[in-house]
Every structure is written in structure tokens, then in C-alpha cells.
Amino acid sequence: MSSTDTKAAKLIRKCVIPAAGLGTRFLPATKAVPKEMLPIVDTPTLQYIVEEAVKAGMEDVVVINGRGKGSIEDHFDIAFELETTMRARGKTADADRMRAIANLVRIISVRQKEPLGLGHAVLCAKSVIGDEPFGVLLGDDMIDSEDPGIGQLARIYQQHQKAVIALMEVPESETHMYGIAAGKDLGNGVIQIDHVVEKPKKGTAPSNLAVIGRYVLPPSIFPILEKQTTGVGGEIQLTDGLATLQKTEGLLGYKFQGQRYDAGDKVGYLKANIAYALKRPDLRGGLLEYLREVVKTEKP
Ligand code: UTP
């Protein structure tokens, strides 16, 4: 990454992390705990996502929250009693790690009173974002990459001065589970989108390029979302708002670099846990030994 690129990426200073969904696929765990607070190894999914935003130079992180708001706010706050107790027990490094989470970035909490859909969740951030382009990182979508996913998109936005969304190729059989975009390949992973549709019926997808949970959007998305009627699943869909934006101002897609995990899906969540645990020297050996044993003994 050149220094010019880094400077450009920094101009996107604010981002929104929607984390107010019901998380029904993870019930009963999500009855009292937000899905975004479920751990990948020992760290909440949301913390990885906030860290990605910070690494990309975001200064203000707007977390849209609903039920379980307390645990999200507490996690990114100073845990005074916990830290004091740990220091008294000589666990200084652990206490410092807890303080570092509180010092990560400025977190602004906005309540979405009803989970009316992702488009509505983004709209809840309107007054905090104001009149500038901003990033959106879905609170249950992880991108494991040295070069943070949202930073990659921010650079594309700066270069083209156009809204950009993360895209990933998926098997034909899975296109009905995603927002799907199609368009002209401009090279270097950039697509000029001419069509975007939320969860197309089987066999009707315009391509196999799925919309993944990272976006950099202009503030003009807000009036579009204000007028947006409900779409698939009776929810106000961000993808429908993006389809309008594509027609009025144009929309780019970017095939990002990195490994994506859908932590909002049970298999995706388990894969993320295994992948992140295998990166940990203290866990890798024991886990590999167990996985080899499972592969040997489990019947397909
Ligand atoms: P999902 O559709 O994956 O979340 O939304 P969900 O509705 O909680 O999931 P299930 O299907 O019931 O298990 C993607 C992201 O958008 C947020 C979610 O919290 C998640 O991080 N979201 C979704 C909101 O903040 N508000 C909404 O109204 C909907």
C-alpha cells in the first residue's frame, strides 16, 4: 500500500456497525446475548470488527444496537472493578489488555428500537454520520486480512468517488442466500455494477458475485433509505437502497482480499473459531491433534 493510498483511506473517518438484529439463527444463545458478542475463541465477534475499522483509520464507530445493548457498551468501556481486582492479583498484563479495549476508539451507541431491517439500521446512524461518506461493517461478518477489508473499500471510494460494496464469488447453488451484483469488470477487482438484487430466487441470479458485509457509502444513501419500502422478509433492505443508488449515482463492487467468515451462520461461526484458534500458538497443537482424530474416526 502506498502512503498516498493510506492517506486517502483515512478520509473515510466514520463507520457504522449494525448489531441490532434478533440473531434468531443462534437461539437460545442470543436470547440474552447479542449474536455480535458471541466469542470467536475468546474475543467477541464485534471486537474483531471494531479492530478492523480502527486499523483502517476510522475515528468514530457507530454501533447500532438493540437488545443486549448493555453488554456491547460495557465491553468497550472501562471495567474498573475487574481491572482493579486483576491488578491486585498481579495480573497486570490482563488488566492492561482490558483497558486497551476501552481505549480502542470512540464508540457511539445508537438504538434501533425495532429490528426493521439492515437498511433501517444504517438509517439510524444518519444524524451521527452527517454529510460525509462512511463505512458500514456488518456485525456478524468477519474478514481476516492484513490489509483491513473496510480500508480496501475506502481506497476504492477515494479513487473513484463512488459508493463501493464488497463482493465475493459464491457457488451457483448459494446465490439465493445473498444479495447478488452483476456488472462490467473494470480490472483490478473493481466491478461497475449495473444490477443488484437481494436474495434472488434459485436460478434467477444475475451472477455469482455475492454482496458481503462491507460497504463505503455516500450520505446520499440516507434520503434513499428514508423512502425505502419493505422488501424481502418484510424488512427495509440495504440492498434495495443500493439498487436505487446504483441507478442515480452509480455503484462499484470490489473483490476484496482476505478470508471471509459468516459468523452469523452456525457453520461459518464454527469455521471462524477453528481458523482463529489455529492461529494461536497456545491452542494450535491441541486443536490440530483433536481435528486429526475427528477426521480419522468420524464417518462422513
Ligand atoms: P442478519 O440478517 O444477519 O442478522 O443481519 P439477524 O436478523 O440478527 O440474523 P438472524 O437471521 O435472525 O439470525 C446482518 C447484520 O445486521 C444487523 C444484525 O445485527 C447483523 O449484525 N441488523 C439486522 C440490524 O442491526 N438491524 C436489523 O434490523 C437487522
Side-chain angles (χ1 to χ4, degrees):
M1 197 195 316
S2 76
S3 61
T4 329
D5 285 345
T6 312
K7 208 168 146 213
K10 273 195 183 143
L11 294 175
I12 311 289
R13 300 179 304 128
K14 295 182 181 177
C15 68
V16 181
I17 305 183
L22 293 177
T24 54
R25 285 170 287 170
F26 273 87
L27 284 168
T30 46
K31 190 176 172 200
V33 178
K35 163 172 73 171
E36 296 76 9
M37 289 302 288
L38 297 179
I40 303 297
V41 186
D42 53 13
T43 301
T45 309
L46 187 58
Q47 187 180 323
Y48 292 100
I49 293 168
V50 170
E51 284 168 350
E52 176 188 331
V54 171
K55 205 171 169 195
M58 301 291 167
E59 295 166 13
D60 286 334
V61 175
V62 185
V63 177
I64 310 298
N65 53 40
R67 82 260 109 79
K69 167 189 160 97
S71 67
I72 292 180
E73 288 189 347
D74 287 350
H75 185 76
F76 293 98
D77 200 357
I78 292 172
F80 188 75
E81 287 172 18
L82 178 65
E83 281 183 31
T84 308
T85 308
M86 284 195 295
R87 287 189 204 285
R89 291 180 183 173
K91 299 195 168 207
T92 314
D94 285 334
D96 288 347
R97 274 202 308 142
M98 295 311 104
R99 178 58 65 101
I101 298 168
N103 289 340
L104 261 175
V105 70
R106 186 163 47 226
I107 303 261
I108 299 156
S109 296
V110 173
R111 187 85 167 182
Q112 184 189 23
K113 290 184 184 152
E114 275 183 276
L116 298 178
L118 181 56
H120 181 261
V122 171
L123 181 57
C124 290
K126 181 185 169 196
S127 59
V128 185
I129 297 295
D131 194 25
E132 55 184 289
F134 62 101
V136 177
L137 301 90
L138 296 198
D140 59 353
D141 225 342
M142 302 177 70
I143 294 183
D144 186 15
S145 168
E146 261 308 299
D147 184 8
I150 196 67
Q152 297 176 37
L153 262 62
R155 291 201 299 276
I156 301 291
Y157 187 101
Q158 293 303 145
Q159 283 160 19
H160 297 262
Q161 289 299 309
K162 205 169 271 182
V164 56
I165 64 179
L167 297 178
M168 183 181 91
E169 283 171 19
V170 296
E172 202 76 43
S173 57
E174 290 178 14
T175 49
H176 65 285
M177 293 153 57
Y178 294 90
I180 298 288
K184 186 175 159 209
D185 196 331
L186 301 181
N188 296 324
V190 180
I191 312 284
Q192 173 83 57
I193 295 175
D194 58 32
H195 196 58
V196 57
V197 56
E198 181 63 24
K199 298 190 177 77
K201 290 205 171 72
K202 276 188 183 171
T204 67
S207 83
N208 69 338
L209 285 175
V211 180
I212 297 309
R214 298 290 182 277
Y215 316 73
V216 175
L217 303 173
S220 50
I221 191 71
F222 293 125
I224 293 174
L225 292 174
E226 273 165 345
K227 285 189 220 111
Q228 189 66 57
T229 50
T230 53
V232 174
E235 296 192 346
I236 298 178
Q237 296 286 355
L238 180 60
T239 310
D240 294 339
L242 294 174
T244 306
L245 191 72
Q246 182 268 318
K247 289 187 191 94
T248 52
E249 297 180 24
L251 179 66
L252 298 176
Y254 183 63
K255 293 193 234 169
F256 61 93
Q257 316 282 316
Q259 179 63 49
R260 179 254 184 178
Y261 298 96
D262 180 1
D265 166 78
K266 285 192 193 91
V267 174
Y269 177 78
L270 294 170
K271 282 183 186 171
N273 268 287
I274 292 170
Y276 279 74
L278 287 175
K279 290 205 277 183
R280 291 262 297 259
D282 56 331
L283 304 175
R284 186 179 167 80
L287 180 59
L288 267 181
E289 201 177 307
Y290 172 69
L291 290 175
R292 287 198 184 106
E293 197 55 36
V294 169
V295 170
K296 234 189 288 166
T297 54
E298 279 293 309
K299 293 198 179 74

